[in-house]
């Protein structure tokens, strides 16, 4: 090949122009070689991404079995059916709430762990749930939210706190023996005698509805009350093996300790007492002629906690499981960004008189804004496709109240609905909702590259 001859551009003393080398491609090789190397990736991209998207769009225009063209009817059904609208609403709640909470917790954890000696251990503990699959996390929190306090950790804590500040009932579901007792229901779960009590005549208050072997502690045998004052006995008018006389204190029948007894005159409580270990109680003389009342607090069912997986709280409860899993992810990313913050800026703010809250709000957070946006956008994309936790944690009665688009897509297509047309339409809508977030993320990446 002949070499290019430089032509003078100026006068006699001008330097010659260097020869122009042939231009090469960015890859430094021929185009067909680059295409050959990219072909496997392009084939996989087309087979796993482009084709499924195109087929879903096409399938969404047909009916349930794909035999009839219905146009946009499936999309109309999404925005008119109550179940689909609830899935859209819950997805919007997830996008608005869960990423913000996770990002905020991650920021707090990242900042605090820099100030404690055991920060590395704390980061390890918080990040550890990321190693657990969604399936395992769902099973764990399904057990955590069990309604029975003996099985569910959440209700065990709630009932323990409640019982520490409120008296629990002594004998839940107990009731008077209607055949022989003059105690009658008087509202609010309480029972009041029809006849007034008299000094010197012990009142007999037999109760039933409790198995003798289910009584708390080690109950003593019931005894008849003695004395000239207003007295009486509260006991379980039943014993294993049967026998005895109803309404009378028979040998072997157990005393009911701790039952509150009130003396009522003209609707007002004039005196009260609590039955002792032998079931007897004694009231002051002013109770003479009053009616005896056993308050409903003696028989109320024990506090069993909160219905975490009921229609009202099922979505927040599932979000709690999500926050538990992903707070460590946010913390690690934000901590990495925090490590790159110029400490001189923080010290300068402190020297200028800013307190720690002002330094955090006006210096640390603005410097971490790019990282916070990355975490927030990533989590927003993640929660739009949330499925596992909702499907596993929400019980069948309240699953309709917790449904999201990804779960609704599964249910209408493969979970018994059998309508693949509507399922495809839901998938397309979900893709359209993700696209704006992805577009924001791509724009942010391009701006960072230009810096």
């Amino acid at each position: 090949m002949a070499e290019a001859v430089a032509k003078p551009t100026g006068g006699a003393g001008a330097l010659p122009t260097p020869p122009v080398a042939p231009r090469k491609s960015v890859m430094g090789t021929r185009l067909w070689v680059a295409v050959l190397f990219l072909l496997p990736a392009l084939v996989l991209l087309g087979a796993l991404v482009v084709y499924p998207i195109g087929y879903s769009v096409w399938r969404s225009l047909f009916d349930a079995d794909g035999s009839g063209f219905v146009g946009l009817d499936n999309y109309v059904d999404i925005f008119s059916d109550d179940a689909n609208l609830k899935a859209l609403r819950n997805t919007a709640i997830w996008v608005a709430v869960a990423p913000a909470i996770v990002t905020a917790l991650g920021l707090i954890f990242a900042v605090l762990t820099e100030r404690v000696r055991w920060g590395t251990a704390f980061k390890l503990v918080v990040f550890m749930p990321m190693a657990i699959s969604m399936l395992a996390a769902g099973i764990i929190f399904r057990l955590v939210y069990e309604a029975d306090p003996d099985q569910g950790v959440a209700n065990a804590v709630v009932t323990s706190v409640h019982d520490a500040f409120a008296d629990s009932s002594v004998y839940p579901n107990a009731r008077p023996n209607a055949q022989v007792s003059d105690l009658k229901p008087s509202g609010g779960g309480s029972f009041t005698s029809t006849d007034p009590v008299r000094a010197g005549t012990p009142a007999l208050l037999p109760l039933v509805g409790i198995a003798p072997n289910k009584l708390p502690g080690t109950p003593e045998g019931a005894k008849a009350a003695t004395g000239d004052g207003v007295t009486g006995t509260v006991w379980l008018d039943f014993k294993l093996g049967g026998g005895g006389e109803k309404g009378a204190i028979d040998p072997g029948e157990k005393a009911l300790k701790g039952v509150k007894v009130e003396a009522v005159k003209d609707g007002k409580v004039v005196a009260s007492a609590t039955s002792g270990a032998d079931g007897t109680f004694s009231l002051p003389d002013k109770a003479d002629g009053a009616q005896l009342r056993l308050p409903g607090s003696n028989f109320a069912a024990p506090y069993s906690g909160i219905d975490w997986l009921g229609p009202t709280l099922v979505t927040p409860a599932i979000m709690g499981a999500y926050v538990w899993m992903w707070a460590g992810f946010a913390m690690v990313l934000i901590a990495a960004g925090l490590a790159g913050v110029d400490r001189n800026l923080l010290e300068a703010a402190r020297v200028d008189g800013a307190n720690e809250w002002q330094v955090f709000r006006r210096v640390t957070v603005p410097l971490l804004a790019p990282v916070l946006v990355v975490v927030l956008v990533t989590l927003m994309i993640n929660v739009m496709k949330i499925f596992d936790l909702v499907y596993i944690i929400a019980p069948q009665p309240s699953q309709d109240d917790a449904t999201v688009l990804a779960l609704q897509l599964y249910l209408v297509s493969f979970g018994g609905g059998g309508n693949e047309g509507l399922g495809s339409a839901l998938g397309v809508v979900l893709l359209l909702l993700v696209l704006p977030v992805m577009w924001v993320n791509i724009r942010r990446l391009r701006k960072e590259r230009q810096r």
Side-chain angles (χ1 to χ4, degrees):
M1 179 181 295
E3 295 183 359
V5 178
K7 296 181 180 180
T9 59
L15 295 175
T17 303
V20 179
R23 180 176 296 179
K24 295 183 179 181
S25 66
V26 176
M27 300 296 296
T29 185
R30 291 184 175 88
L31 179 62
W32 68 270
V33 176
V35 172
L36 183 63
F37 276 95
L38 290 174
L39 186 60
L42 294 175
V43 171
L44 287 176
L45 183 67
L48 300 179
V49 178
V50 178
Y51 172 74
I53 292 176
Y55 180 79
S56 296
V57 173
W58 175 82
R59 185 66 179 83
S60 67
L61 303 177
F62 289 80
D63 58 9
D65 57 3
S67 60
F69 182 80
V70 296
L72 300 178
D73 287 355
N74 287 323
Y75 294 94
V76 174
D77 191 19
I78 292 175
F79 296 98
S80 59
D81 181 73
D82 291 340
N84 295 327
L85 286 175
K86 186 174 292 185
L88 277 170
R89 184 194 65 191
N90 287 342
T91 301
I93 293 173
W94 270 90
V95 172
V97 176
I101 295 176
V102 173
T103 304
L105 282 178
L107 175 61
I108 293 172
F109 290 157
V111 173
L112 292 181
T113 50
E114 283 201 337
R115 300 175 176 272
V116 294
R117 289 181 298 177
W118 39 271
T120 302
F122 180 80
K123 288 180 181 178
L124 178 63
V125 172
V126 176
F127 188 76
M128 193 176 297
M130 284 295 299
I132 303 175
S133 67
M134 286 281 195
L135 174 64
I139 294 174
I140 290 171
F141 275 85
R142 181 64 183 269
L143 296 174
V144 168
Y145 291 134
E146 275 290 336
D148 187 356
D150 293 333
Q151 299 180 9
V153 176
N155 272 340
V157 174
V158 171
T159 53
S160 298
V161 174
H162 175 274
D163 293 343
F165 295 95
D167 295 332
S168 58
S169 60
V170 184
Y171 302 103
N173 303 320
R175 63 186 185 277
N177 190 339
Q179 297 178 352
V180 296
S181 176
D182 68 339
L183 291 170
K184 305 300 180 185
S186 54
S190 62
F191 298 91
T192 306
S193 64
T194 54
D195 297 328
V197 66
R198 297 297 179 185
T201 304
L204 299 179
L205 304 178
L207 298 178
V208 293
I210 316 171
N213 56 352
K214 299 294 183 181
L215 293 175
T218 306
E220 300 180 5
K223 296 181 180 179
T226 58
D228 297 331
V230 179
T231 59
T233 304
V234 185
W235 83 100
L236 180 62
D237 194 21
F238 176 80
K239 63 180 179 180
L240 294 175
E245 180 183 354
K246 297 296 182 181
I249 302 175
D250 299 310
E253 293 182 340
K254 301 299 182 180
L256 298 181
K257 177 185 176 182
V259 177
K260 186 176 182 180
V261 182
E262 297 176 339
V264 180
K265 287 184 178 180
D266 299 326
K268 297 182 179 180
V269 177
V270 296
S272 63
T274 302
S275 59
D278 57 0
T280 61
F281 61 90
S282 177
L283 292 166
D285 294 339
K286 59 182 177 181
D288 188 22
Q291 294 175 297
L292 296 183
R293 180 172 68 188
L294 301 182
S297 58
N298 292 314
F299 316 115
Y303 180 70
S304 58
I306 300 173
D307 188 11
W308 297 103
L309 300 181
T312 304
L313 295 177
V314 62
T315 295
I318 300 173
M319 284 186 185
Y322 181 86
V323 170
W324 176 76
M325 286 194 65
W326 286 88
F329 167 82
M331 178 194 66
V332 170
L333 290 187
I334 297 172
L338 189 61
V341 172
D342 188 356
R343 303 297 163 168
N344 293 327
L345 297 175
L346 304 181
E347 292 301 327
R350 294 187 180 99
V351 170
D352 289 341
N355 56 36
E356 291 301 321
W357 168 244
Q358 290 173 328
V359 171
F360 173 76
R361 184 167 59 91
R362 296 181 179 273
V363 180
T364 304
V365 173
L367 291 175
L368 289 175
V371 179
L372 297 178
V373 171
V374 171
V375 175
L376 189 63
V377 171
T378 303
L379 292 173
M380 289 175 67
I381 296 174
N382 183 266
V383 298
M384 283 190 188
K385 57 184 181 180
I386 191 74
F387 166 80
D388 315 63
L389 289 179
V390 181
Y391 185 70
I392 296 169
I393 295 178
Q396 194 62 40
S398 58
Q399 194 174 84
D400 292 341
D401 298 285
T403 186
V404 290
L405 281 177
L407 177 59
Q408 191 69 8
L409 187 157
Y410 168 78
L411 293 176
V412 301
S413 300
F414 315 109
N419 192 341
E420 295 183 6
L422 179 58
S424 299
L426 285 168
V428 173
V429 170
L430 190 56
L431 174 64
L432 294 176
L433 292 176
V434 172
L435 286 178
V437 183
M438 294 180 62
W439 178 73
V440 171
N441 203 23
I442 293 173
R443 284 195 61 187
R444 181 193 56 79
L445 291 174
R446 286 178 176 175
K447 287 182 179 179
E448 288 192 359
R449 289 176 182 175
Q450 294 173 359
R451 293 178 181 177

